[in-house]
Amino acid sequence: MKENGDYGYKFGPNGTKWSGYETVNMAVDLIWEESRKQDLGIDIKLFNDDLSIVFDLFKERRENILLKREHSIPSFLGYNTSAPYGNIGIIENKGFDGTIEYNKRINKDWVLALRGNITFNKDKWIQGELPEQKYEWMNQYGRNINGVKGYVAEGLFTQAEIDDMARWESLSDANKAITPKPFASQFGTVKAGDIKYKDLNNDGQIDAYDQDLHFPWGCADNCLWFRIYRRLERFVGRYDVPRCSRSRTCFEW
């Protein structure tokens, strides 16, 4: 709680105002988060331990996640400045991780080391703070936990498309009713080269209902990472002089 002069009451013949106290970070009956983890792994060494293979499958379910209830509680309940917290979140996370490493001594001075790593991870909301939305693509459930709202870009407008829209706008209302609209109404005046956003609900207008929950960093909900390391070491006395390079690739769908 904290003192807040905007609250309180007036008392006495002169109407002296006394500050009240505001409850912030409201939460009752909180419990600990619970996590259940499963892991199945295999570790193999071959060719006098020169070749090493490690592979793991993992799955985790986390329940009772503490979330601020900014959208799931209506404003008429009186939480003016700060919504309460509650143990309402459930998240699932699963994937695999594999590493292949090869170390070979060429002679007393040189060692060749190669290492490759592949990682796949998919997490999603099973239950979150956001209530059921009007359209499926706006829902939080089943989406990536780092998902953010945004419009879906279909490409860039061409001058031919803009000319088609100008011709459609010049039609009478009767002809507009029987003539397909070239593209959904966008934001402001559209020019060639502007981004064309997808009309997800097909109502002919780009608005808040066309925002999708998607992963924010250029990778889809499913993302497969490859990492390859190459290392060549030369031993000079007690010290090694490494020469190494590294590459990384993301495959998404």
Side-chain angles (χ1 to χ4, degrees):
M1 299 182 69
K2 69 175 183 180
E3 186 175 1
N4 190 329
D6 295 333
Y7 296 89
Y9 58 93
K10 293 182 179 181
F11 182 77
N14 297 323
T16 303
K17 184 176 181 179
W18 298 83
S19 296
Y21 284 85
E22 175 190 3
T23 301
V24 296
N25 297 335
M26 292 167 282
V28 294
D29 298 328
L30 297 184
I31 58 177
W32 290 102
E33 292 184 8
E34 296 181 3
S35 177
R36 296 176 176 86
K37 299 182 179 183
Q38 296 172 296
D39 186 273
L40 176 63
I42 184 171
D43 191 341
I44 301 175
K45 289 186 178 294
L46 303 170
F47 308 117
N48 296 321
D49 293 343
D50 290 342
L51 179 64
S52 174
I53 302 173
V54 179
F55 187 80
D56 288 278
L57 293 169
F58 59 86
K59 181 178 180 181
E60 179 181 8
R61 181 181 175 93
R62 185 177 294 271
E63 300 181 357
N64 302 325
I65 298 173
L66 188 64
L67 298 175
K68 192 173 184 178
R69 308 192 65 176
E70 297 178 300
H71 302 96
S72 57
I73 293 182
S75 58
F76 61 74
L77 290 181
Y79 295 102
N80 296 326
T81 60
S82 181
Y85 286 80
N87 297 101
I88 59 175
I90 302 176
I91 287 175
E92 277 192 358
N93 175 40
K94 60 183 178 180
F96 62 80
D97 182 83
T99 301
I100 299 178
E101 186 170 2
Y102 182 76
N103 293 278
K104 182 65 176 180
R105 178 175 291 277
I106 302 174
N107 53 42
K108 65 178 182 178
D109 293 326
W110 292 92
V111 171
L112 175 65
L114 298 173
R115 182 182 182 187
N117 174 258
I118 181 173
T119 302
F120 172 80
N121 178 73
K122 181 176 178 63
D123 51 50
K124 63 180 180 180
W125 286 103
I126 302 300
Q127 178 175 310
E129 191 273 332
L130 193 66
E132 187 76 16
Q133 299 296 293
K134 183 175 181 179
Y135 297 105
E136 184 277 332
W137 56 82
M138 300 175 63
N139 285 327
Q140 186 179 39
Y141 312 115
R143 301 302 181 95
N144 188 280
I145 63 174
N146 291 313
V148 295
K149 282 186 176 181
Y151 296 99
V152 180
E154 289 190 301
L156 302 178
F157 280 106
T158 64
Q159 187 60 48
E161 290 175 315
I162 295 174
D163 293 340
D164 288 341
M165 177 58 82
R167 284 190 288 268
W168 186 88
E169 292 287 356
S170 65
L171 297 176
S172 64
D173 291 340
N175 286 330
K176 284 182 179 179
I178 60 175
T179 305
K181 194 175 183 180
F183 55 82
S185 299
Q186 308 281 313
F187 304 104
T189 302
V190 178
K191 298 180 180 180
D194 288 347
I195 297 176
K196 179 168 59 176
Y197 295 107
K198 188 174 183 179
D199 184 13
L200 296 179
N201 61 350
N202 296 315
D203 65 349
Q205 179 177 336
I206 301 300
D207 53 24
Y209 291 124
D210 298 304
Q211 289 185 331
D212 186 15
L213 269 175
H214 56 270
F215 199 75
W217 299 313
C219 187
D221 289 341
N222 300 311
C223 192
L224 188 64
W225 290 95
F226 289 92
R227 295 181 178 88
I228 301 175
Y229 302 87
R230 300 171 292 274
R231 186 180 180 94
L232 184 64
E233 296 179 347
R234 183 180 181 183
F235 291 87
V236 182
R238 294 177 55 194
Y239 303 97
D240 63 296
V241 183
R243 299 178 183 178
C244 63
S245 60
R246 180 176 64 181
S247 61
R248 183 176 69 175
T249 305
C250 173
F251 292 87
E252 56 184 85
W253 63 92

